[in-house]
Amino acid sequence: MVGTPKKEGWCWRLRLAVLSIGLVVLGCLLLKYLDWRYPLAPLPQVSTLVLADDGTPLRAFPGDGDQWRYPVGVDDISPHYLEVLLTYEDRWFYWHPGVNPFSLVRAFWQNAQSSGIVSGGSTLTMQVARLLHPHDRSYRGKLVQVLRAFQLEWHYSKPEIIDLYLNLAPFGGMLSGVQAASFFYFGKQANQLSDAEAALLAVLPQRPSDYRPDRHPQAALKARNKALARMAVLGVWSQSRVAEAQAEPLFVFAEGVPKVAPILSRRLYQQCTSCNVIHSTIDYGLQLQLEALVDQYLYQLSPEQSVAVMVMDNRDGSVKSYIGSGDFWSATRHGQVDMIQAVRSPGSTLKPFLYGMAIDEGLIHSHSLLLDAPRSKSQYRPHNFTGQFNGPVTATEALQRSLNVPAVQLIEFIEAGRFLTRLQHGGLKSFGPGSADPNPSVILGGVGVKMEQMVGLYSAFARQGLAIKPRLRPEQPQQERRLLSAGSAWIIWDALAQHPYRSMHQKTQGQWNLAWKTGTSYGYREAWAMGVSPRWTIGVWVGRPDGSPSPGKFGRDTAAPLLFRVHSALSDGERRLIKPSGVTKEEICWPSGTALTRPENQNGQCLRHHAAWVLEGVVPPTLHELPDLTTQRLITQIWVDPVSGLRVDPSCAKRSPLLTRKIALWPEAAEPWLPTFWRNQQRLPSLAPECALFAAEQKTIRITTWPDKALVKIPPHGGELRADLMAQGGSGARDWYVDGRYVGSSERALSYQFSSVGLHQISVVDEQGNRDMIQLTISQ
C-alpha cells in the first residue's frame, strides 16, 4: 500500500534510537566513573573584598595561593567585555557540550602542519578545566582537558561556567579574575569598562605575561586591536565603533591592591574571615579626601604621634570615614594600632553630657551662676588647665571654657555613679578603676573610653537627645537610646556652637553650624576634639599610641584645627538645628539665678542680667556651693525694722509689725571676685544692736599687707617687687591667690615676687572658707 513504511526503515530508526540511548547511558556512566575516580578539584578560595558603600574596593585579603581574586559574577561585568570574550574565544559556547569538535580538528591540523603546538582549540569550558586541573601541553594533557570539560558541563550550567572563568582567568602576576584585573590596571569596576579596555582584558589571559599592559604596552595594544578588528569582521560591532575603540590610547592604572581604610578593612575581615565580600558604609571619595588631609596634618606632629578620625552620618549612624591611625605603615607611629577602638582617657569631653543632665534635672539653665573658685570646704580640689580661677561664671561659659571646678560642682549634685550609668545606658562602655568605683574625677577624664562610642554619644546633641550606635556595615540595625531630652540636647548644642574660639575656623557666625568640644587628658597623653553638626558627628584624637605624654599638645590647639578641616570637607550646608518648642528664653538675674520677676530680684537686688535658655519654663535658682542643705542658703528671708531700717530677728525685735524681705546672696566663694558694693555684707542691712547676741559668730579674715586699691611702686634699684602676703583673723592655714592663680599656702606670711607691673588681684582663703580680696596696682 502506498504510504506504508518499509519494515527495514522502521528497524533502522529503532536501532539508531537504541544506539543513541546506549551512548547516552555510556556517557553518563563514564562521567559517573570520572566523578568517582577523578573528582573535580574544589574551587579556589577567592579574595575577601571589603567594599565602600558604592562597591569600590577598600582593601582585599588574598585567597588560595596568595592570588588576588575578587569575587565577581556575570551581572557584575560590562556586557562589552562578555561580547568580546565570547566572540574572540568561543562563539559557540552556548551550543557545544563543553568541547567544540570543529575547533579541535582545526587545531590538530594547524599543529600537524607546523610540527608543534600552535593552537589548542580550547573552549571556555576547557580553559576553566585547565585552570582547575593544570596539565602539560601534550595530546595526553589535551585528552584529560576534554574529559574534565565534559565533567564541568555535567555539573554546572553555562552561566555558572562563565562565572568560573571570570573568577579564575589569569591576568598576569598574582592577578586572577577579571574584577581584580580591572581594578589593578584601570582603577575601576569591571562593569565600567570601555570597549577598548574590555577587549584588552578579553585577550590578556591568552598570554598574561606577554600582554601585561604595564610591562609590555606595545604587545598589549596589538593584541587589543586584533580582538577589536575581529568584532568588526564578524559584524558584532560596527566598523565606526571598532575604529573609535582602536583610537583610544592605552592607559593603565596599575597601582596594585587597594589599601583604603586599611584598619577598618582589617577589623571587618577579622569579624568574617570566611566572607567573600564585605560591604561597609564608608564613602570612598570622602575617605580618600580625609586620608590625604590627615597625611598632610602629620607633618606638623612628631614622628611618634598618631591621629584618628571618625565621621558618622547622624541620619542613620552610618560611618562614612574611619581613619584608625595616621600612617598604617609607620612603625614609629604604631600605625597598625586602631586608636578608634583603643581605650583612652576622654579628658574634658564628657562635660557636655553632665551639663545636659543637670538641665534635665532642673539644677541649672544655660546661664546659671556656677563657681570657678578654690574649693576650701571639699576634699577634692581640682584646678583648671590654666591654673587660674575665674570666680562666678555662667553655665554656658563654664562649658565653653571647659572649667574644671564648676563641672565638679555639678557632678557632686548628680553623683558620679549615676552620671556614668546614664552614659552607659546611652551606649558608652567605660574602663578602668574610675568605672568600677566612680568619683568626681570621672568628669575630668578619670575613666577609659573608646572614640567610636564617644561619637555615638555626641550624636545625641543633633538627634534630639537620642544617641545612635555607629554602624560600619549597611546590614547592621540602627540602635538608638535616649540620653538627654530634646530640649537640653539643643541647649548644649547651641552653647557649644557659640564657642568663643569659633574664629579658629575662619568662618563667619552666620555660616557656623558646628558644636564642638575639646579635651586634654592628664599629662598631655591625648588631645581630643569632638564636633556635631546637624548631619555629621566627628571625632578626632591626636596623641601617642603607646600612652606617652606629648607635652604642650592639648585639644584646642592640636586636635581642634584638624576637626575644623574635616568639617570643611563635609557637605553639610549652613542650616542650624531647629529649637524644640520646650526651650524658651527667659531674663534671669544674678545672684539668685531666677527670673527677673521674682521677689528676690526686686528693689535693686538684680545685680546682673542674662538672657537664658530654659527648659519647659523651669528657672532653677543658683545652686548651693555643695549638695548639702546645711550650707549657706542663697535666697533667704530677712526682717527689717520699719523705723530704723536695721535688720532684726523676730525674737529680739522691739517693734512690730516687721517688714519681710527676700534677698539673694552670693555664694561665699564668689565674693573675692565681686566689686565691694556687691558683696553680701554690703547688701544686707546692718544688724540692730539689740540683736547682736543672736548674730552667728564669724571669724573674719582681712589682708593686712596693703589696703584695698593700694598703689605700690617698685624700688628704684630693683626690677621686681617682693613682699610678704599677710592676713589677720581667720582659722588655720591660708591659701593665697594672685590674679586667680594659686601661689601657695602659709600659716602666717607667704613671700611672693610680682613679675609684672599693672593691676593685680590678691585673695586669701582660710580652712573654714572665710576669704578676703584686695586690688593692688604696681608701677615703676
Side-chain angles (χ1 to χ4, degrees):
M1 179 181 289
V2 178
T4 301
K6 295 181 179 180
K7 184 176 181 179
E8 293 80 0
W10 179 83
C11 290
W12 171 252
R13 285 194 293 273
L14 179 61
R15 293 190 190 99
L16 185 61
V18 171
L19 179 61
S20 300
I21 293 173
L23 290 174
V24 171
V25 172
L26 182 62
C28 291
L29 291 175
L30 176 61
L31 292 171
K32 284 288 186 180
Y33 172 77
L34 289 174
D35 284 346
W36 171 73
R37 186 70 177 82
Y38 303 103
L40 286 172
L43 300 180
Q45 181 185 0
V46 297
S47 301
T48 297
L49 200 59
V50 182
L51 305 178
D53 60 357
D54 63 352
T56 304
L58 297 174
R59 189 178 178 189
F61 298 87
D64 289 345
D66 290 331
Q67 290 285 310
W68 297 107
R69 184 182 294 111
Y70 301 171
V72 69
V74 172
D75 295 336
D76 306 316
I77 298 297
S78 166
H80 313 321
Y81 172 80
L82 291 176
E83 286 178 340
V84 180
L85 176 67
L86 293 176
T87 300
Y88 194 77
E89 289 286 352
D90 195 350
R91 294 169 57 197
W92 308 106
F93 172 75
Y94 287 102
W95 302 98
H96 60 65
V99 175
N100 187 336
F102 299 104
S103 297
L104 286 177
V105 171
R106 184 186 70 248
F108 178 78
W109 177 254
Q110 291 174 346
N111 294 338
Q113 284 186 323
S114 62
S115 301
I117 298 177
V118 296
S119 176
S122 297
T123 62
L124 285 180
T125 307
M126 293 172 66
Q127 293 182 48
V128 172
R130 187 179 72 249
L131 292 170
L132 289 173
H133 300 273
H135 59 78
D136 56 358
R137 293 176 65 87
S138 65
Y139 288 111
R140 180 183 178 280
K142 181 60 66 174
L143 176 60
V144 171
Q145 186 181 15
V146 168
L147 294 176
R148 289 297 189 185
F150 286 138
Q151 275 186 288
L152 287 172
E153 294 279 350
W154 169 261
H155 286 281
Y156 298 103
S157 66
K158 291 291 186 179
E160 289 173 333
I161 292 174
I162 284 285
D163 280 352
L164 289 175
Y165 179 84
L166 296 177
N167 284 277
L168 297 175
F171 286 88
M174 308 302 288
L175 296 173
S176 293
V178 66
Q179 187 76 293
S182 181
F183 275 111
F184 183 86
Y185 292 121
F186 304 121
K188 64 176 66 174
Q189 299 184 64
N191 61 3
Q192 300 172 347
L193 293 170
S194 67
D195 288 348
E197 293 166 343
L200 175 59
L201 294 188
V203 300
L204 185 53
Q206 286 189 345
R207 298 171 63 181
S209 296
D210 296 337
Y211 291 165
R212 280 190 60 163
D214 57 331
R215 296 182 180 178
H216 308 287
Q218 293 303 319
L221 184 64
K222 183 178 179 180
R224 181 200 77 175
N225 290 341
K226 179 181 177 181
L228 289 170
R230 173 173 267 188
M231 299 297 289
V233 170
L234 296 176
V236 180
W237 290 352
S238 67
Q239 186 64 50
S240 60
R241 180 177 178 180
V242 169
E244 183 177 349
Q246 289 178 330
E248 182 177 314
L250 182 65
F251 175 78
V252 293
F253 190 67
E255 290 213 359
V257 179
K259 297 182 183 68
V260 181
I263 286 184
L264 171 66
S265 300
R266 182 188 63 190
R267 174 179 174 181
L268 296 179
Y269 173 66
Q270 290 172 343
Q271 293 173 357
C272 187
T273 56
S274 61
C275 292
N276 292 339
V277 177
I278 301 175
H279 294 274
S280 76
T281 59
I282 295 297
D283 183 313
Y284 185 78
L286 178 63
Q287 180 73 21
L288 286 179
Q289 184 178 4
L290 296 189
E291 285 186 1
L293 191 154
V294 168
D295 286 343
Q296 182 182 21
Y297 199 74
L298 287 175
Y299 285 107
Q300 66 188 65
L301 303 178
S302 71
E304 295 80 18
Q305 288 183 296
S306 187
V307 171
V309 176
M310 174 180 272
V311 176
M312 184 185 75
D313 193 326
N314 293 330
R315 296 175 298 180
D316 59 4
S318 58
V319 175
K320 295 302 179 183
S321 182
Y322 188 113
I323 302 174
S325 70
D327 184 352
F328 185 72
W329 306 108
S330 172
T332 58
R333 299 187 194 275
H334 300 277
Q336 299 197 19
V337 177
D338 186 356
M339 298 311 302
I340 287 177
Q341 291 193 90
V343 177
R344 313 298 286 197
S345 167
S348 297
T349 56
L350 295 179
K351 288 177 181 176
F353 305 105
L354 175 65
Y355 283 80
M357 292 178 194
I359 292 174
D360 277 335
E361 296 191 11
L363 294 174
I364 61 171
H365 48 67
S366 70
H367 284 68
S368 288
L369 189 160
L370 297 178
L371 280 176
D372 183 36
R375 295 167 51 83
S376 57
K377 296 181 180 180
S378 302
Q379 291 184 345
Y380 187 47
R381 304 181 181 183
H383 292 273
N384 292 317
F385 185 79
T386 61
Q388 298 180 348
F389 294 99
N390 300 274
V393 293
T394 67
T396 294
E397 182 184 4
L399 177 58
Q400 290 173 341
R401 298 177 62 183
S402 199
L403 301 177
N404 289 337
V405 177
V408 171
Q409 180 186 4
L410 285 181
I411 203 169
E412 287 178 337
F413 277 88
I414 291 180
E415 298 180 352
R418 192 157 62 91
F419 169 69
L420 199 56
T421 299
R422 291 272 300 272
L423 293 183
Q424 290 167 343
H425 174 75
L428 180 72
K429 185 175 181 180
S430 56
F431 303 85
S435 177
D437 186 18
N439 59 68
S441 69
V442 164
I443 199 58
L444 305 183
V447 68
V449 301
K450 296 181 179 181
M451 178 197 283
E452 183 172 337
Q453 295 162 0
M454 290 292 290
V455 168
L457 288 184
Y458 263 80
S459 69
F461 296 120
R463 305 184 74 257
Q464 299 186 323
L466 285 173
I468 190 168
K469 183 178 180 180
R471 297 164 55 243
L472 302 175
R473 300 181 63 173
E475 62 268 23
Q476 287 180 266
Q478 297 184 30
Q479 298 183 32
E480 298 176 328
R481 290 190 177 184
R482 173 65 62 184
L483 183 59
L484 301 169
S485 70
S488 67
W490 184 89
I491 292 173
I492 298 302
W493 183 90
D494 182 71
L496 294 176
Q498 301 295 332
H499 201 294
Y501 296 102
R502 61 183 179 270
S503 60
M504 293 170 61
H505 194 37
Q506 297 179 350
K507 280 192 172 185
T508 65
Q509 183 171 343
Q511 296 174 307
W512 189 265
N513 65 354
L514 180 72
W516 59 285
K517 180 72 182 73
T518 60
T520 307
S521 67
Y522 177 76
Y524 299 96
R525 284 173 170 79
E526 18 259 337
W528 292 82
M530 305 296 298
V532 188
S533 70
R535 180 175 176 183
W536 304 104
T537 299
I538 309 165
V540 172
W541 173 91
V542 180
R544 295 181 58 157
D546 62 3
S548 302
S550 301
K553 302 293 184 181
F554 48 96
R556 196 183 74 198
D557 290 348
T558 303
L562 180 56
L563 170 71
F564 300 146
R565 295 184 191 181
V566 171
H567 178 238
S568 296
L570 300 172
S571 174
D572 200 16
E574 297 178 6
R575 66 187 180 92
R576 291 175 63 85
L577 286 177
I578 298 175
K579 178 175 66 67
S581 58
V583 176
T584 56
K585 186 156 281 189
E586 185 81 32
E587 192 74 17
I588 64 98
C589 290
W590 277 12
S592 71
T594 56
L596 177 63
T597 55
R598 295 280 299 175
E600 62 269 16
N601 296 320
Q602 307 304 311
N603 302 316
Q605 296 300 313
C606 186
L607 302 182
R608 185 176 293 175
H609 293 252
H610 288 288
W613 293 116
V614 300
L615 185 60
E616 305 298 342
V618 176
V619 188
T622 298
L623 292 174
H624 298 290
E625 293 183 46
L626 295 171
D628 179 359
L629 297 180
T630 65
T631 58
Q632 173 196 15
R633 295 179 60 189
L634 301 183
I635 299 178
T636 187
Q637 179 172 287
I638 62 173
W639 290 265
V640 177
D641 186 315
V643 176
S644 66
L646 298 177
R647 179 163 49 100
V648 298
D649 188 278
S651 61
C652 65
K654 294 182 178 179
R655 301 182 183 86
S656 62
L658 300 176
L659 300 179
T660 61
R661 185 188 305 172
K662 281 191 174 182
I663 186 169
L665 302 177
W666 293 96
E668 290 180 356
E671 295 216 342
W673 283 267
L674 301 175
T676 302
F677 54 88
W678 275 13
R679 299 180 188 179
N680 293 333
Q681 292 305 314
Q682 295 295 323
R683 295 171 54 241
L684 286 170
S686 299
L687 189 64
E690 63 268 24
C691 294
L693 294 177
F694 295 91
E697 181 183 1
Q698 295 187 14
K699 296 181 178 180
T700 59
I701 187 171
R702 184 171 61 87
I703 297 174
T704 59
T705 307
W706 297 287
D708 188 21
K709 298 182 180 179
L711 175 63
V712 179
K713 291 189 176 183
I714 296 177
H717 300 293
E720 295 178 331
L721 175 66
R722 178 174 291 276
D724 290 334
L725 303 181
M726 296 180 293
Q728 290 182 349
S731 175
R734 302 167 180 134
D735 291 333
W736 290 90
Y737 300 84
V738 175
D739 300 327
R741 186 183 184 90
Y742 176 76
V743 296
S745 179
S746 69
E747 291 286 345
R748 296 182 179 179
L750 176 71
S751 178
Y752 181 77
Q753 181 171 299
F754 292 86
S755 58
S756 63
V757 298
L759 183 65
H760 296 276
Q761 182 188 79
I762 304 173
S763 307
V764 64
V765 183
D766 70 6
E767 290 182 351
Q768 301 301 317
N770 301 307
R771 62 197 68 215
D772 189 28
M773 182 192 74
I774 66 169
Q775 289 185 339
L776 173 72
T777 301
I778 300 176
S779 63
Q780 295 284 0

